[in-house]
Amino acid sequence: MTDVAHPELVQAIGNGADVADRELERVDDALLLDLYRALVLLRTFDERAVIYHRQGRIGTYALYWGHEAIQAGAALALGREDWIFPSYRESAIGLLRGMPAATILQWWRGHPSGWWNPAEYNLGSICVPIATQVPHAAGLAWGKRLRGESSGALVFFGDGATSEGAFHEGANFAAVMKAPLVLLCNNNQWAISTPISAQTRAARLADKAVGYGMPGVTVDGGDVLAVYEAVREGIERARAGEGPTFVEAVTYRAAPHATADDPTAYIDPDRVEAERARECVGRFEGYLRRAGVLDDETAETVKAEALELMRTGIGLAEAEPAADVGEIFAHAYADPPPSLERDLSELRRILAQ
Amino acid sequence: MSVALEAKELLLVEAVNDCLHVEMERDPNVLVLGEDVGRAGGVFRATAGLLDRFGPDRCVDTPLAEAGILGTAIGLCMAGWRPVVEMQYDAFSYPALDQLINHVGRYRWRTRGGMDFPLVIRMPYGGGVRAPELHDDSPETFYVHPAGVKVAIPSTPADAKGLLAAAIRDPDPVVIFEPKVMYRSARQPVPEGEHVTPLGQARLARTGTDLTLVAYGAMVPLAERAAEEISASVEVLDLRSLKPLDEDALLASVAKTGRVVLIQEAARTCGYMAEVAAILAEKALLDLQAPVLRVTGYDVPYPYWQLEDAYMPSVARVLDAARQALEF
């Protein structure tokens, strides 16, 4: 599966040949189809976003092609009351919480309407600086526990993030404060051009969990069921007051880091081709067909619905009126200093000339 | 805004402590977190008694991790808390600047006003206490510059209580720098009970007609001592609130005196008083009868403490600048 040794990699999806599929407890056909819809929705968003970027309709875009199993498996293992803290790699995860595609597209179009109120979706803002969202998630989960609420949180970050101080401080805080948190590491083995071998000498990133006194598990990040199962276990443990869990989901970044990146300079194209051949949406589709849960008609319907959602989304995004310059000054303070009002009126005067 | 009728004589650090007791009693969403704030009551005892009174959930000894403290405080806000963070010392706060600049000052904006982040950072700052390296910094400029963050610095025990109370009640993130050299320098009257000094209002510490000395924090009593020795009528303006700045009070004083000396303990280049000087250049040109002068720390690392008195703005340096301004 990968170029690092992962003998203990947890999987549920077989290969249709010598490796058998595994049935999960408390996972019925309806949930399997929900997971499929989530995967297709995320995949469709990502592929359309790249096209929109090439058409000049959205700005620089960070791809997550091949990471959908991690995102869908995690999001569906949580309750709606549980918070999610995404990095930019999970920019579209709001789709799984009912956020309009237009909102996320507007984020990538740099329009203010792309920024949401986290309390509306229990979804933190897209976090750009690496690993800095980990302490936020730890603090929120800790704060929920202090309030006696039963909800928890999940934070996404990449393999490179585990080198950052913010990851360490956030993980340690979560453990010390018994925060109901799942730390979900998307180990796609690349931080832009830096391979995991240049990032750490740890045999498994999940081994870092030992240092924080929390359980760590490594799962196949291309296996939506394995991710679902591990996150469900982590969040149930969290809700039971047993503190945080580290889940390492191993995958491979078989796409550029972002639209501005040209990975041919540093990545092995044969490896990329091999990884793309076993991408996560197709693997789950194979599982569902072997289980008799998915037929051609349903698959076509799900894909058509996702495409329609994107067509609607980009249409709404592009129909949005241009942002007013007042937005520049509007939200930095609840109680802004008077200088901002003066700056805005001066700007309006000059723009009106 | 004070509802108290009585005042008691308190040290500046006792006024901080009194404020925390009053505000935590008033609002059950206020919690205090930081290094050694619980069992020890803070290395300066600013948080003494809070653990016993409010329990370990609201007075939290944290791991030794400044970015983690400030980062988790953001999450605590999202869970409905109003965290008051103690940074143990000025220079030890720098690991938290990533969280401050990238998140504390931006998260409300990012939510388009959907969520408030009513957190407070308070920290002892400044030199003159014969301390080891990096226990002496005046980092206010680093905190004033990022958007979305307010900054205040008291120079009296009453303002230490009042400004901190205002910060705790403010819907926006506020940083309070407490002049550690003044923590135990003098007892002064502090209103009992709830006492709020609004942000954005300067204080005339002394009125005069010939020269304005502008200062904040530990430089205010220095300016007052210098004013005593100047043979002219000297006004001392205590800015108290660096952001928002009380521009009206600044411009009114300079309109009256026409001569101004700006005093800050921090190093000169791009220090806070450079901003004040720029405002005077923009808005007070016709009132000025002399160049705007600054007395500041120097553009070098804060020195070995045997030399710190020579580094710090002193009465002699203020008198020298005042003479230049008055004789121009």
Side-chain angles (χ1 to χ4, degrees), chain B residues 83-107:
Chain B
V84 180
V85 164
E86 176 174 301
M87 292 287 158
Q88 196 163 73
Y89 278 92
D90 33 56
F92 301 167
S93 73
Y94 302 148
L97 285 174
D98 180 9
Q99 289 292 336
L100 180 94
I101 297 165
N102 288 330
H103 294 301
V104 171
R106 298 182 73 98
Y107 222 127

Side-chain angles (χ1 to χ4, degrees), chain A residues 22-162:
Chain A
R22 180 162 66 84
E23 262 190 53
L24 266 59
E25 286 175 21
R26 292 185 285 142
V27 173
D28 58 16
D29 289 357
L31 177 56
L32 289 173
L33 282 175
D34 283 347
L35 285 166
Y36 179 68
R37 271 188 216 97
L39 285 174
V40 171
L41 187 53
L42 290 173
R43 172 63 54 86
T44 307
F45 183 100
D46 189 72
E47 292 184 341
R48 294 307 299 172
V50 171
I51 292 166
Y52 297 151
H53 170 75
R54 288 183 184 143
Q55 293 171 338
R57 302 164 84 179
I58 69 171
T60 298
Y61 171 73
L63 291 75
Y64 57 79
W65 196 97
H67 302 67
E68 297 87 346
I70 300 173
Q71 300 179 19
L76 270 66
L78 301 175
R80 181 64 173 71
E81 70 282 7
D82 297 318
W83 277 66
I84 297 174
F85 286 83
S87 79
Y88 54 77
R89 192 72 69 203
E90 295 81 27
S91 66
I93 198 151
L95 292 173
L96 307 185
R97 292 228 156 147
M99 183 181 289
T103 302
I104 303 153
L105 290 166
Q106 289 292 55
W107 197 91
W108 292 107
R109 285 163 55 82
H111 189 285
S113 65
W115 276 258
W116 63 85
N117 179 358
E120 202 174 315
Y121 299 97
N122 290 347
L123 175 62
S125 302
I126 295 169
C127 189
V128 173
I130 302 299
T132 55
Q133 73 277 21
V134 179
H136 307 165
L140 174 117
W142 168 29
K144 293 279 184 192
R145 178 181 73 68
L146 288 179
R147 290 198 170 284
E149 297 178 20
S150 62
S151 53
L154 177 140
V155 58
F156 286 101
F157 52 92
D159 45 300
T162 64

Side-chain angles (χ1 to χ4, degrees), chain A residues 292-311:
Chain A
V293 177
L294 185 71
D295 55 27
D296 288 348
E297 196 190 333
T298 310
E300 284 315 309
T301 306
V302 168
K303 286 172 187 171
E305 283 171 359
L307 265 177
E308 184 53 34
L309 189 128
M310 289 307 295
R311 268 189 224 106

Side-chain angles (χ1 to χ4, degrees), chain A residues 112-113 115-118 124-125 127 132 135-136 139-140 142-143 146-147 169 172-173 177 327 331 333-335 337 342, chain B residues 29 57 65 67-68 71-72 74-76 79-81 98-99 103 107-112 114-115 148 150 172 243 247:
Chain A
S113 65
W115 276 258
W116 63 85
N117 179 358
S125 302
C127 189
T132 55
H136 307 165
L140 174 117
W142 168 29
L146 288 179
R147 290 198 170 284
E169 296 193 21
N172 190 50
F173 255 85
M177 303 305 174
E327 285 277 340
H331 306 300
Y333 299 89
D335 172 26
R342 295 197 295 268
Chain B
N29 293 312
D57 283 353
T72 52
I74 291 168
L76 287 167
W81 294 95
D98 180 9
Q99 289 292 336
H103 294 301
Y107 222 127
R108 183 180 198 280
W109 168 87
R110 217 175 257 147
T111 70
R112 294 179 87 200
M115 299 188 93
K150 300 171 181 175
D172 293 313
K243 197 168 79 177
E247 271 191 26

Side-chain angles (χ1 to χ4, degrees), chain A residues 156-196:
Chain A
F156 286 101
F157 52 92
D159 45 300
T162 64
S163 300
E164 288 276 9
F167 159 74
H168 162 70
E169 296 193 21
N172 190 50
F173 255 85
V176 170
M177 303 305 174
K178 270 193 175 282
L181 179 67
V182 177
L183 298 114
L184 180 49
C185 178
N186 153 32
N187 177 4
N188 69 15
Q189 308 187 50
W190 290 93
I192 304 187
S193 68
T194 306
I196 185 75

